Amino acid sequence: MLTASRIKQISSLSQKKFRKELGLFVAEGEKVVTELLENANWEIHQIFAIDSWFDKHNVPANILAEKVSPKDLSRISTLVTPNQVLAVVKIPERIIDNIRLQKRYTLLLDNIQDPGNFGTILRTADWFGVENIICSENTVELYNPKVIQASMGSFMRVNVFYNSLKKFLERLPSGFPAMGAMLEGENIHQSKLPKEGILIIGNESRGISPDLTKYINHKLNIPLNRLRGKNNFPDSLNAAVANGIILSHLSKH
């Protein structure tokens, strides 16, 4: 049975302050925890699960694992409907210095605030083979439980870094392709897209920050399909949706 102090400590990991202080985050669900167990790059601190999960899974002897009741699992879960298992995982150290940019696409996220959007962007990036995502320092934190949940395990396969995007862009080789979705951009269906480069995805409501737009040398526009007889149109696309459309086009090159 979980003690009150242990429940309090695990529950505190729903807050960024305590994740940073303890160097731990929470991952939930059979699929995600199974992948973590199979991935040597991630260190599981402890697993809490109900009996039926342990009946189907073997946990290595070096990982602390505890059987809990569904009621206790709900007390430490961040989900409305708790899954069978919850893992407390060590946050790995990330070093941005050795990112390879040539012959691949790299995402830059500029002040993405919605955890669900970030998780979806991660999952989409993983699908299209993006290896690295660089986030502005004010982008929602990777280890937010909602980001982890929405990524469906993709956080394990895509490297995520936090850095000043302006400083990063200033260090790019001269003429290196830097793309961004903008209203004044070229129709993506007709544009000659580069075979490598940076793709900047802007904030959900404000788009790409003005101090970053000067670094964009490939301005792209996803055209609106103005259906006949329709008078009102959305003024923008969801950031995660725009990211998926652009990555789909880039994957053809």
Side-chain angles (χ1 to χ4, degrees), residues 79-152:
L79 304 176
V80 176
T81 305
N83 212 302
Q84 298 180 337
V85 59
L86 178 151
V88 177
V89 187
K90 184 178 179 181
I91 295 175
E93 185 178 353
R94 298 285 191 194
I95 300 173
I96 196 171
D97 295 342
N98 299 318
I99 291 180
R100 184 180 172 189
L101 299 175
Q102 285 72 24
K103 297 182 180 179
R104 65 201 64 215
Y105 299 111
T106 301
L107 280 182
L108 268 63
L109 303 187
D110 177 24
N111 192 20
I112 295 295
Q113 292 298 297
D114 184 85
N117 276 342
F118 188 12
T120 302
I121 288 170
L122 260 172
R123 192 175 177 185
T124 307
D126 187 18
W127 181 267
F128 286 109
V130 173
E131 296 176 5
N132 298 302
I133 296 178
I134 302 163
C135 303
S136 63
E137 291 154 326
N138 53 0
T139 287
V140 63
E141 184 213 11
L142 170 63
Y143 301 108
N144 180 303
K146 292 181 180 178
V147 176
I148 296 297
Q149 201 66 29
S151 80
M152 293 296 289

Side-chain angles (χ1 to χ4, degrees), residues 2 6-7 9-11 13-14 25-34 36-37 44-50 53-54 59 63-68 72-79 82-89 145 149:
L2 287 171
R6 192 72 178 117
I7 290 172
Q9 183 188 49
I10 298 166
S11 299
L13 297 177
S14 63
F25 72 98
V26 165
E28 298 188 62
E30 186 172 7
K31 177 183 182 297
V32 172
V33 175
T34 300
L36 281 166
L37 284 167
I44 297 176
H45 184 71
Q46 193 164 3
I47 287 175
F48 301 91
I50 60 177
W53 185 85
F54 282 106
V59 179
I63 297 176
L64 291 173
E66 184 174 340
K67 289 183 181 180
V68 295
D72 275 349
L73 187 63
S74 69
R75 287 173 175 165
I76 58 175
S77 174
T78 61
L79 304 176
N83 212 302
Q84 298 180 337
V85 59
L86 178 151
V88 177
V89 187
Q149 201 66 29

